[in-house]
Amino acid sequence: MTGLYRDRGIVLRTYKLGEADRIVVLLSEHHGKVRAVAKGVRKTKSRFGARLEPLSHVNLLLYRGRELDVVSQADSIDHFRALRDDLDRLTRAVALLEVVDQLAQEREENSRLYMMLLGALRSLASRDSVLLVPAFFWKLLAAEGLGPELDTCVSCGSPDTLVAYDVGEGGVLCRTCRRGVALSPAALDLLRRILGGDLARVLAEPASAAAHEVEVLATRAVEHHLERRLRSVSLLQEG
Ligand SMILES: [Zn+2]
């Protein structure tokens, strides 16, 4: 199928093509992940070079190609200046883009993922939060049907003394069956709240030992799913 189509999208990353062109990888609202050539954007008089940087939310007119689409028009919806001007927030935003890039399927509509990413970027633009990235990762896993079991031990079914989490099993374990990593009661509570509809209040909370546990575990769980280490996430945790 060829021809022109319109969509909105968030630029996940870009890379050079030849002397003057750039390939833009976007998560679009209705066409999944799209790879498109932006012609001439690396020349100084480019019409839309600056609008097609990672993080940018844009309205697009695209020409469908066999392998790569071609950007015909790009109009900025939101440039997320607040994220670009703050290194901590930018690092978090890049972690979101990287995971979405690895998870999204090309040309397969996933408007829920698009809305989740857009919501997370807007939330991060309005207020920095240490739990934003981990909360996004847990929500993402849940949306993929890989939500963690948090109520009963994944081995014996006991609801009592849940003290560990195993990413392979995707859930909590009781004291008798424990394996994986230790999980404090406060971290378990945070996890339950993230996935149980209390996200807004969780995001307003300051850094804590429990938040750090939830963050480390979120990265491991997503990595387990993606089966590869996420460079930007490890940078975030070393910082
Ligand atoms: Zn058990």
Side-chain angles (χ1 to χ4, degrees), residues 111-217:
S111 43
R112 179 163 64 172
L113 182 59
Y114 166 85
M115 290 310 299
M116 278 182 70
L117 177 60
L118 187 56
L121 292 176
R122 284 175 173 161
S123 168
L124 192 56
S126 68
R127 178 168 56 186
D128 196 9
S129 163
V130 290
L131 278 164
L132 185 114
V133 173
F136 182 83
F137 286 1
W138 288 113
K139 291 275 198 188
L140 206 55
L141 289 171
E144 293 283 301
L146 300 162
E149 171 56 57
L150 299 175
D151 294 328
T152 57
C153 172
V154 291
S155 183
C156 74
S158 165
D160 303 319
T161 57
L162 301 167
V163 297
Y165 188 95
D166 186 79
V167 292
E169 298 275 2
V172 290
L173 289 130
C174 74
R175 190 176 301 281
T176 312
C177 309
R178 71 179 149 191
R179 57 179 174 269
V181 294
L183 186 67
S184 71
L188 177 57
D189 181 57
L190 264 183
L191 267 177
R192 285 175 172 162
R193 289 171 57 206
I194 286 168
L195 291 163
D198 199 20
L199 185 59
R201 286 204 303 165
V202 167
L203 291 181
E205 291 186 8
S208 64
H212 184 67
E213 268 184 76
V214 166
E215 183 181 0
V216 171
L217 204 52

Side-chain angles (χ1 to χ4, degrees), residues 7-238:
D7 207 341
R8 286 183 286 193
I10 297 157
V11 180
L12 302 176
R13 65 190 161 93
T14 68
Y15 50 98
K16 292 175 184 176
L17 178 71
E19 288 296 305
D21 301 343
R22 199 179 285 280
I23 291 179
V24 183
V25 182
L26 302 128
L27 180 68
S28 70
E29 184 172 14
H30 299 296
H31 298 81
K33 189 161 81 173
V34 169
R35 276 173 213 277
V37 183
K39 291 193 170 160
V41 288
R42 288 161 57 215
K43 292 178 183 159
T44 48
K45 285 185 176 172
S46 163
R47 284 170 300 146
F48 44 56
R51 292 169 218 157
L52 291 171
E53 289 169 353
L55 270 186
S56 297
H57 187 210
V58 284
N59 257 317
L60 296 155
L61 182 63
L62 293 148
Y63 191 83
R64 167 71 49 94
R66 257 184 313 177
E67 304 262 327
L68 293 164
D69 295 356
V70 177
V71 180
S72 177
Q73 263 178 40
D75 297 306
S76 183
I77 302 171
D78 195 341
H79 201 56
F80 289 116
R81 178 67 57 200
L83 303 182
R84 295 172 197 278
D85 290 347
D86 175 345
L87 186 59
D88 284 343
R89 284 197 248 190
L90 183 61
T91 308
R92 293 190 216 288
V94 168
L96 302 180
L97 299 183
E98 189 172 329
V99 165
V100 167
D101 185 22
Q102 292 185 48
L103 205 76
Q105 303 293 309
E106 291 196 28
R107 293 179 179 176
E108 202 171 280
E109 176 167 3
N110 191 342
S111 43
R112 179 163 64 172
L113 182 59
Y114 166 85
M115 290 310 299
M116 278 182 70
L117 177 60
L118 187 56
L121 292 176
R122 284 175 173 161
S123 168
L124 192 56
S126 68
R127 178 168 56 186
D128 196 9
S129 163
V130 290
L131 278 164
L132 185 114
V133 173
F136 182 83
F137 286 1
W138 288 113
K139 291 275 198 188
L140 206 55
L141 289 171
E144 293 283 301
L146 300 162
E149 171 56 57
L150 299 175
D151 294 328
T152 57
C153 172
V154 291
S155 183
C156 74
S158 165
D160 303 319
T161 57
L162 301 167
V163 297
Y165 188 95
D166 186 79
V167 292
E169 298 275 2
V172 290
L173 289 130
C174 74
R175 190 176 301 281
T176 312
C177 309
R178 71 179 149 191
R179 57 179 174 269
V181 294
L183 186 67
S184 71
L188 177 57
D189 181 57
L190 264 183
L191 267 177
R192 285 175 172 162
R193 289 171 57 206
I194 286 168
L195 291 163
D198 199 20
L199 185 59
R201 286 204 303 165
V202 167
L203 291 181
E205 291 186 8
S208 64
H212 184 67
E213 268 184 76
V214 166
E215 183 181 0
V216 171
L217 204 52
T219 305
R220 285 196 193 179
V222 165
E223 281 175 355
H224 180 81
H225 181 51
L226 294 174
E227 290 178 329
R228 82 166 247 213
R229 272 197 77 74
L230 306 171
R231 214 163 14 90
S232 61
V233 176
S234 19
L235 283 174
L236 191 70
Q237 285 179 353
E238 282 157 19

